[in-house]
Amino acid sequence: MINRRKSKQISIGNVKIGGDAPISVQSMCNTDTRDVAATLEQISELASAGCEIVRLAVLNKDAAAAIKDITAKSPVPLVADIHFDYRLALTCIENGIHALRINPGNIGKKEHTVKVVEAAKAHEIPIRIGINGGSLEKEFAEMDIPLAEKMVLSAMRHLEILEDLNFYNTKVSLKSSDVLTTIEAYRLMAAKVDYPLHLGVTEAGTLKSGLIKSSVGLGTLLSEGIGDTIRVSLTENPVEEVHAGFGILKSLNLRQKGINFISCPTCGRTQIDLIGLAKKVEERFKNLDLPITIAVMGCPVNGPGEARHADFGIAGAIKEGYIFKKGEIIARVPEADLINSLENIIMESYSSVK
């Protein structure tokens, strides 16, 4: 049982962040925000995958103007990602955005910050302070201290700016492309403030390498009770970020969405295309949102016994396989029919599993 760090609670649209709220999974559109139709299509895809909050890049006034039509039709709350230009933040707030990602120390004069904060207060819009280890302000980047400490100093300065204006509707992220730096930065920050923390390893890489880095970084922090929202940053279709995020949370028993899929490694006893079969089963059931475990095992000798905790499973044999339920073999099926037969059995048993 993981004891989560106690943090204050904020709301982004209808999604509560921090406190006793479930850890939420976020992603970011890679569309041109000015293209309302394409952006809404991707938001819909992300929402269908379970994404609970979506961030949008707002690069210019046309993108900020498009926020009005996007927020009106979005099925999930949206965060506007803004750098430097406070006017874009004001336009987004006016157009119904649910939260901002903007660093108050980087938008020029104090009067600009005051305008953004006043507008955020009036519309009850949270602000995420997003610190990136690769783009720190010069005064912190030149310090002769570990990068994680520099990142925390930067975050604290931005928080101080908001707190001086009596603004506390805030969450914080401290992302680095280095996993250990990311972990240390969040640990330091978690000990200093009670603001909710958004976790992520930035620029983590493509699906394979990025998932490894994110799993180590986010998994370590989450296991220590640190983190209130997460994004798995991947150079990939953003939908994969959502699946990965829920996978990490599910592995720590922090969230349950979709099936729990397990499969054994190959060995000399395997006489079926176990790798191909496992991939096909995982793909077939990836959108099945039931609190069940499905196993694909390599042989009937050890498979059903080793996976007896699974609700349903397949144990491979020569050109055929056995379907088992709670460790008991219930059917013997030709290899070509295994997945369809498994699906039929699961659907027939749904009422008892539910």
Side-chain angles (χ1 to χ4, degrees), residues 27 40 60-61 119 155 169 173 180 194 221 300 322 327:
S27 186
L40 281 170
N60 51 45
K61 63 180 181 180
N169 191 8
S173 67
L180 293 178
D194 65 351
L221 292 165
Y322 297 87

Side-chain angles (χ1 to χ4, degrees), residues 270-304:
T270 303
Q271 300 183 70
I272 197 170
D273 178 16
L274 179 62
I275 295 174
L277 179 63
K279 289 180 178 179
K280 290 176 182 176
V281 170
E282 187 173 31
E283 178 66 23
R284 174 70 67 90
F285 298 106
K286 70 178 182 180
N287 294 321
L288 183 63
D289 193 11
L290 290 177
I292 61 175
T293 296
I294 298 176
V296 176
M297 309 300 286
C299 71
V301 176
N302 297 323

Side-chain angles (χ1 to χ4, degrees), residues 46-335:
L46 289 167
S48 295
C51 189
E52 292 155 313
I53 301 169
V54 175
R55 185 156 50 111
L56 304 176
V58 180
L59 304 179
N60 51 45
K61 63 180 181 180
D62 291 333
I67 292 294
K68 186 172 185 178
D69 291 331
I70 296 171
T71 54
K73 297 180 180 179
S74 174
V76 295
L78 304 176
V79 179
D81 190 276
I82 295 166
H83 294 273
F84 308 120
D85 193 340
Y86 79 100
R87 294 168 297 182
L88 299 179
L90 295 176
T91 300
C92 287
I93 292 174
E94 293 169 3
N95 286 339
I97 201 69
H98 304 98
L100 296 174
R101 190 277 195 185
I102 187 169
N103 290 346
N106 296 342
I107 55 175
K109 301 177 182 177
K110 182 178 179 180
E111 62 193 71
H112 297 166
T113 303
V114 170
K115 287 181 180 179
V116 172
V117 169
E118 287 179 347
K121 283 182 180 179
H123 291 80
E124 299 182 345
I125 299 295
I127 294 175
R128 169 155 77 91
I129 291 174
I131 305 302
N132 189 313
S135 56
L136 288 176
E137 302 95 322
K138 185 177 180 181
E139 62 186 283
F140 299 115
E142 293 180 346
M143 289 182 174
D144 187 22
I145 57 176
L147 177 56
E149 295 180 22
K150 298 178 187 179
M151 293 168 66
V152 171
L153 287 175
S154 176
M156 295 301 293
R157 183 176 77 102
H158 291 298
L159 282 172
E160 184 179 1
I161 293 170
L162 294 180
E163 290 173 348
D164 285 346
L165 297 172
N166 294 313
F167 189 89
Y168 302 92
N169 191 8
T170 311
K171 69 173 178 173
V172 183
S173 67
L174 306 101
K175 301 181 180 182
S176 169
S177 58
D178 179 76
V179 174
L180 293 178
T181 297
T182 298
I183 291 171
E184 184 60 18
Y186 278 108
R187 283 174 175 165
L188 292 170
M189 200 70 192
K192 284 181 173 290
V193 300
D194 65 351
Y195 290 108
L197 298 177
H198 170 68
L199 303 187
V201 177
T202 193
E203 300 150 9
T206 54
L207 183 60
K208 190 176 293 185
S209 62
L211 186 52
I212 292 170
K213 291 178 184 176
S214 295
S215 296
V216 172
L218 274 60
T220 299
L221 292 165
L222 291 167
S223 71
E224 296 174 5
I226 297 171
D228 302 287
T229 70
I230 65 171
R231 179 195 176 190
V232 179
S233 299
L234 299 173
T235 309
E236 183 54 81
N237 185 328
V239 170
E240 296 298 335
E241 298 185 347
V242 180
H243 292 316
F246 277 107
I248 292 171
L249 293 176
K250 187 160 47 178
S251 72
L252 294 167
N253 294 323
L254 289 167
R255 290 289 298 269
Q256 174 62 52
K257 180 171 178 59
I259 67 164
N260 181 35
F261 177 76
I262 63 174
S263 60
C264 69
T266 58
C267 73
R269 289 189 298 271
T270 303
Q271 300 183 70
I272 197 170
D273 178 16
L274 179 62
I275 295 174
L277 179 63
K279 289 180 178 179
K280 290 176 182 176
V281 170
E282 187 173 31
E283 178 66 23
R284 174 70 67 90
F285 298 106
K286 70 178 182 180
N287 294 321
L288 183 63
D289 193 11
L290 290 177
I292 61 175
T293 296
I294 298 176
V296 176
M297 309 300 286
C299 71
V301 176
N302 297 323
E306 290 180 0
R308 66 171 57 91
H309 62 285
D311 297 283
F312 304 93
I314 293 173
I318 302 174
K319 297 184 179 179
E320 63 180 7
Y322 297 87
I323 295 177
F324 58 90
K325 181 178 180 180
K326 294 291 186 182
E328 297 294 327
I329 294 174
I330 59 174
R332 180 177 176 178
V333 182
E335 183 175 356

